Amino acid sequence: MPLPLAVTSGEPAGIGPDITLATWLRRRELDLPPFYVRGDRTALAARARALGLKLDLADVDVDEAAAAFDRALPVVATGTSATALPGRPDDSSAAAALASIRHAVADVVAGKASAVVTNPIAKNVLYRAGFQHPGHTEFLAELAASGGKVPQPVMMLWSPQLAVVPVTIHLSVREALAQLTTELIVATARIVVADMRARFGLKAPRLAISGLNPHAGEDGTLGTEDIDVVAPAIGILRNEGVAVRGPLPADTMFHPAARKTYDCALCMYHDQALIPIKTIAFEDAVNVTLGLPFIRTSPDHGTAFDIAGTAKANPSSLIAAIRLAARMAATKKT
């Protein structure tokens, strides 16, 4: 029996519980791989009642989760209770969400689960509780630290139609420009290439790298960063044998014909990458963290407090995240 996926609870007042319950109920119809929730069974049972769902929840140890999956949604306790009502985060929210992430990562590191699939967290709720990281991605990198060295996490948004990576992530535009360097572009691209080979099964990934400025700088007339910062990175990567094109004007990179020419687009800042994929594949895009010693995927949406507990949440992105995590885990073993 394959190792199950560890699914985190996410923000307990958000839609994470809703989409997790809905996904498990469709497990046979969609032929989903076994997964379990790291969280609070009492909180999940309360959400199921609020949604009017009839299903069984099983308190299990990690080793029992895969065997229990077909008959009941396996829940592996974290020891931290979640008392928040739908749409109303409370003092238990941050502790419950973070405990779930820590335990799920520990399960994968211990070889008891094949990958981590994280439900959405509310960063503003975590910040009020003293959370020190810009987001999920950076927290996972800290949990992956070995010998005091924290790996560089790379955020990929993946869908069947398009995969994108922002070189700078959760920064203001001003700060993103200040931190963008040739070295950062090269390091990010190397991680993307390595993981696309090891975890996506692509022997020779093709990268398209956007320019920073409009029209990729128009030969320096709209800014010299594409000449001084981006182009040297592309030269280094080409010398290493990477199939790479750029710097390309970002406004012409994402139409259907252009997307056929590359496997992943590297963009210079957050919105340059995320606007196109969320336009093209809003419901089935998956957030993937590259550069970690374990596999992590996540739905590409937030906590949606306004619809939590209403049965309006769409589980499509979580389903896609579960399927992609299982695919990456299987690819890694081959």
Side-chain angles (χ1 to χ4, degrees):
M1 185 172 292
L3 290 175
L5 305 170
V7 176
T8 70
S9 59
E11 162 56 54
I15 62 170
D18 304 39
I19 59 178
T20 301
L21 295 167
T23 296
W24 182 81
L25 285 171
R26 298 181 64 186
R27 67 200 181 284
R28 293 172 182 162
E29 167 199 347
L30 300 174
D31 192 25
L32 296 178
F35 63 85
Y36 63 90
V37 180
R38 263 294 192 172
D40 180 2
R41 181 186 180 280
T42 300
L44 274 173
R47 185 62 62 88
R49 289 193 296 271
L51 293 168
L53 300 177
K54 294 182 179 180
L55 75 166
D56 293 322
L57 300 170
D59 276 315
V60 297
D61 293 328
V62 176
D63 296 338
E64 304 167 323
F69 178 74
D70 190 59
R71 64 175 176 82
L73 174 58
V75 182
V76 182
T78 62
T80 302
S81 298
T83 58
L85 297 175
R88 297 168 58 186
D90 64 16
D91 290 343
S92 75
S93 290
L98 295 177
S100 180
I101 298 167
R102 288 192 183 97
H103 281 274
V105 169
D107 291 344
V108 176
V109 171
K112 296 181 177 182
S114 61
V116 177
V117 181
T118 59
N119 267 305
I121 56 174
K123 286 182 283 188
N124 61 329
V125 174
L126 298 182
Y127 294 155
R128 289 197 296 269
F131 189 65
Q132 298 295 314
H133 302 278
H136 237 144
T137 301
E138 296 81 3
F139 180 49
L140 288 162
E142 181 183 272
L143 294 178
S146 176
K149 185 177 180 180
V150 178
Q152 178 190 342
V154 169
M155 183 175 78
M156 170 186 279
L157 277 293
W158 178 93
S159 74
Q161 302 97 321
L162 174 66
V164 298
V165 166
V167 174
T168 60
I169 309 177
H170 298 115
L171 300 170
S172 69
V173 173
R174 185 187 300 275
E175 186 63 23
L177 297 182
Q179 292 196 18
L180 185 68
T181 63
T182 298
E183 293 75 19
L184 180 60
I185 297 168
V186 171
T188 301
R190 286 171 176 161
I191 291 169
V192 172
V193 169
D195 273 12
M196 293 195 83
R197 287 172 176 162
R199 293 178 172 175
F200 287 82
L202 297 177
K203 292 183 179 180
R206 301 166 300 161
L207 303 185
I209 297 186
S210 77
L212 171 67
N213 296 302
H215 304 172
E218 200 76 73
D219 293 325
T221 60
L222 297 177
T224 63
E225 292 86 356
D226 295 296
I227 296 171
D228 299 336
V229 178
V230 183
I234 292 168
I236 292 169
L237 293 166
R238 282 179 179 154
N239 287 337
E240 294 177 356
V242 177
V244 60
R245 296 170 56 233
L248 301 172
D251 61 354
T252 59
M253 285 178 61
F254 301 105
H255 60 83
R259 297 199 306 268
K260 293 178 181 179
T261 66
Y262 58 82
D263 300 302
C264 182
L266 268 66
C267 300
M268 297 302 105
Y269 56 92
H270 184 279
D271 284 9
Q272 198 180 47
L274 270 65
I275 287 173
I277 194 166
K278 290 192 175 184
T279 301
I280 292 168
F282 186 78
E283 292 187 348
D284 60 358
V286 178
N287 188 329
V288 187
T289 305
L290 308 180
L292 301 180
F294 52 83
I295 295 165
R296 178 264 181 156
T297 67
S298 179
D300 182 29
H301 58 68
T303 53
F305 286 134
D306 57 324
I307 60 171
T310 67
K312 294 180 180 178
N314 185 342
S316 295
S317 189
L318 177 60
I319 292 167
I322 286 171
R323 283 180 159 159
L324 181 60
R327 169 187 156 186
M328 291 174 70
T331 300
K332 189 179 178 184
K333 292 176 182 177
T334 59

